[in-house]
Each structure stands twice: as C-alpha cells, then as structure tokens.
Amino acid sequence: MFAALPKAAFSVLAGSSTLKSLASKYGMRSTNSFARRFIAGEQVDEAIEAAREVERQGLMVTLDLLGESVASHEEAHAATFAYIAVMEAIERAGVGRNISLKLTQLGLDIDQATCVDNLRRIVDIAAKSDFFVRIDMENSPYTDRTLDTFETLWGIGYRQAGVVIQSYLKRSTADIKRVNALGARIRLVKGAYRESAAVAFQQKAEVDAAFIEQMKLLLTEGTYPAIATHDPVMIDATTSFAKANGIANDRYEFQMLYGIRRDLQASLAGDGHPFRVYVPFGREWFPYFMRRLGERPANVGFVVGSILKDKSK
Ligand SMILES: Cc1cc2nc3c(=O)[nH]c(=O)nc-3n(C[C@H](O)[C@H](O)[C@H](O)COP(=O)(O)OP(=O)(O)OC[C@H]3O[C@@H](n4cnc5c(N)ncnc54)[C@H](O)[C@@H]3O)c2cc1C
C-alpha cells in the first residue's frame, strides 16, 4: 500500500512541523524505535559505538552529524564547533577519521563567505589530524555554490576533502569532468531530492544509465572514486567494468548508508572491496529520515509497525 507513495509526498511531509515533533517523540525513544534503523543515535557516543561495530566487521566509516539549512550566523557557528567536537571525539575513540557534512549546515544559505570560513575551520583540523571531509550534495539550487566552495578550498591548497555528484542531474557528467580535472575525489550517488524534469532525469532507467556512464568515467579518469549505491545492478556493473579493464579493487571504494542492505555490505567487503558505511547521527535526523522513506516507501510500513509496538509497551 505504501509502495505507491511518490517521492514528492515525502518531500512535502518533511516540511511538516507536526510530523517532525511526533517523529521526534517516538523515533529514538527506545533502542528499538523506528528511526534507529537508519540513524545511529542522537549523541556522538552512540555514533562512535555504531562505528566500532561497523569496523569490527572489516568495513570503514564516515560519520555525519546531521543538520542542514541553518538560517543564522550563530547556528552555523554552533554547527561548525559541534563538528570540531565530533572530530575530537573520533580521535579520542580511535575510529576512522572520515566525516561527511552539508554546506547549508555551515551557513551556505546565509552567504558563501561565512560558509567558506566555517568549512576552513574544519578542514584545517582535517589537515592537521589526517581526516577526510566529504561535502555532501544537497538539492540543485546548491549545486553550483557547493562546487564553487569546494574549488575555492582546493585552490587554497586543501586536499583532504571531496564532493558528491548526483547522477540524476543532467549536468553531472560535465561536473565530473570539472572535478576530475582537479584530481579531487568524488562520491557518485543517484540523488535523493525531488527535482524538476528541467534539471533531472525522472525515470529510474535514465538515472541508472547515467550512473553507469559516470561510474566508468570515474573508474578510468577519476581519483579514488566512491561508488555509493545499494543497487545490485549498479554494483555488478562496477565490478564487471573494473575487472574487464584491469582496475584493481583498491582504486575505488563502495559506500552504503547505515542500516540499508547490510547483507550486501558484508558480502562486498568479504570479496576484498574497500567498503565504507555512512553513519548518520544527531538530533536533527528528521529530514534525512524522510529522504530514506522517500527512496523506499515500503519503509513506512516498518515505521508504523514499530510505533504501534512501542506505544503498546
Ligand atoms: C554513502 C552514501 C552517501 C550519499 N550521499 C548523498 C548525497 O550527498 N546527496 C544525495 O542527494 N544523495 C546521497 N545519497 C543517497 C542517494 O542519492 C540515493 O538516494 C540512495 O542511495 C538510494 O539510491 P540507490 O543507489 O541505493 O538505488 P535505488 O535504485 O534507489 O535502490 C536500489 C535498492 O537499494 C535498496 N534501497 C535503496 N534505498 C533504500 C532505503 N532508503 N531503504 C531500504 N532500502 C533501500 C532497495 O533494495 C532498492 O531496491 C547517498 C547514498 C549513499 C549510499
């Protein structure tokens, strides 16, 4: 019944404050609550525990302190220092030094200079302490500004950062060539936001075809790309292309999101492919959670079941 819900419906619901406060009440309240399927917890300690568990299975991690679309200098500043505290906690815990962040969390909606200043605070620490910082890609109004900010950083000389390119955007092959020319690292994803037909492919077959074309471009011309998908067809296309072209497993990595297709995560890592799990955490989990429901509306059934179980306790 839920499978028929369009991605657009989840995008609208993600803006509902009533739904957000309801979800916040039930989503994390016990160890079995529904949001924990996709989110490691609200606190950094919980994320580190999840990261340790992932690493025990021989996989790598990237930690994402959830947050986006901050509207004031104070919030952007607070988010920056919260990230720095997370980096310190990662160092103390000795888990993988790799983080993912969103530029609207650091003030991209306020102005680009504020965002660059905040990002530099983070990449300065990354350079000193050997972290890698992945800049997630948000919806298309931010694509140019995200790539421009990244190029500014690269131009200053920061090398421990990379970006994300979304296959569903019609512009993406050109963007890959632009980032490849720098020698920077790209994470390739299909794209998680609701976008118009003017800028993005609307059919799964078109997005998949673009993903395969771009994967090939990245494996042949890119710098240690990350192929981030749960789609077995995309994964098979990647391993077959790499094999046919003599590209060794250690020239690229696979990535998946925490809680999704754990079976595939284990089998790919078992086959000797470098494999990273994206571990999201933090109090601002609602928009991220709604995007995961939008990707697979059948997840709503699972959420409703968990709420009913939780309420009956
Ligand atoms: C590490 C990582 C980082 C990402 N970063 C970004 C980013 O910065 N910007 C961005 O726009 N998007 C990002 N995404 C999300 C991405 O764009 C897709 O929305 C998401 O990965 C689903 O697409 P898919 O490639 O798995 O293929 P799909 O064709 O959507 O799914 C293939 C199969 O994967 C499984 N699956 C997919 N999604 C789910 C789900 N939510 N729940 C349960 N099963 C599921 C199902 O079995 C499905 O049949 C990221 C994804 C990953 C893995």
Side-chain angles (χ1 to χ4, degrees):
M1 141 173 129
F2 299 113
L5 287 171
K7 203 172 186 175
F10 291 93
S11 176
V12 172
L13 291 173
S16 156
S17 51
T18 315
L19 196 61
K20 184 178 176 186
S21 66
L22 252 179
S24 304
K25 187 167 170 199
Y26 294 111
M28 286 280 176
R29 82 174 183 176
S30 75
T31 47
N32 294 324
S33 297
F34 62 84
R36 291 190 187 269
R37 160 142 184 219
F38 301 116
I39 292 130
E42 292 193 337
Q43 307 302 326
V44 68
D45 293 352
E46 295 172 287
I48 284 178
E49 201 32 59
R52 286 205 174 105
E53 182 56 39
V54 168
E55 289 184 346
R56 273 196 283 273
Q57 296 161 44
L59 314 177
M60 301 177 289
V61 289
T62 180
L63 262 62
D64 173 24
L65 171 58
L66 292 167
E68 52 199 89
S69 309
V70 310
S72 70
H73 286 278
E74 291 70 29
E75 283 175 288
H77 202 249
T80 305
F81 283 92
Y83 249 108
I84 292 172
V86 168
M87 293 167 90
E88 289 165 357
I90 289 174
E91 275 192 70
R92 279 196 303 275
V95 294
R97 297 184 182 193
N98 192 308
I99 57 170
S100 293
L101 51 77
K102 291 183 175 50
L103 293 187
T104 62
Q105 201 173 5
L106 304 186
L108 191 60
D109 272 333
I110 304 163
D111 63 74
Q112 197 155 354
T114 300
C115 179
V116 170
D117 284 350
N118 285 334
L119 187 56
R120 282 188 72 172
R121 291 190 170 101
I122 291 173
V123 287
D124 270 335
I125 296 177
K128 268 191 230 125
S129 302
D130 200 22
F131 272 79
F132 184 78
V133 179
R134 178 74 66 179
I135 300 172
D136 285 349
M137 189 58 83
E138 299 173 72
N139 43 341
S140 59
Y142 298 107
T143 311
D144 275 325
R145 279 179 285 163
T146 302
L147 291 176
D148 289 349
T149 304
F150 177 70
E151 278 185 343
T152 303
L153 216 69
W154 195 265
I156 298 170
Y158 292 105
R159 291 291 177 271
Q160 283 170 280
V163 278
V164 177
I165 299 286
Q166 299 152 323
S167 288
Y168 65 9
L169 292 187
K170 294 175 179 171
R171 57 178 286 165
S172 286
T173 298
D175 288 338
I176 289 178
K177 290 182 178 162
R178 172 177 164 191
V179 180
N180 276 354
L182 298 174
R185 282 163 61 172
I186 290 176
R187 172 201 291 153
L188 183 66
V189 301
K190 290 191 187 177
Y193 298 83
R194 178 188 170 199
E195 296 286 358
S196 75
V199 297
F201 300 119
Q202 305 292 308
Q203 301 302 320
K204 178 173 163 56
E206 294 174 304
V207 179
D208 288 356
F211 190 97
I212 290 176
E213 179 206 333
Q214 292 157 3
M215 169 275 288
K216 291 178 178 172
L217 189 59
L218 283 167
L219 257 58
T220 47
E221 295 175 15
T223 305
Y224 192 68
I227 307 301
T229 178
H230 316 91
D231 187 341
V233 178
M234 300 299 109
I235 293 167
D236 285 349
T238 306
T239 52
S240 304
F241 180 77
K243 205 168 168 199
N245 290 278
I247 297 165
N249 287 353
D250 62 2
R251 295 252 313 275
Y252 64 99
E253 67 181 39
F254 284 114
Q255 296 188 353
M256 287 190 196
L257 300 175
Y258 180 80
I260 301 182
R261 295 303 311 255
R262 288 194 174 133
D263 53 333
L264 264 181
Q265 299 183 6
S267 77
L268 275 170
D271 288 346
H273 290 95
F275 196 100
R276 193 176 303 279
V277 179
Y278 183 105
V279 180
F281 73 100
R283 294 178 60 81
E284 294 301 320
W285 51 264
F286 184 66
Y288 174 92
F289 177 75
M290 291 303 283
R291 286 196 289 278
R292 302 295 77 82
L293 295 192
E295 282 157 2
R296 193 163 177 272
N299 285 337
V300 178
F302 152 83
V303 170
V304 173
S306 315
I307 295 175
L308 293 176
K309 236 193 261 163
D310 217 24
K311 278 184 102 171
S312 65
K313 279 183 190 162

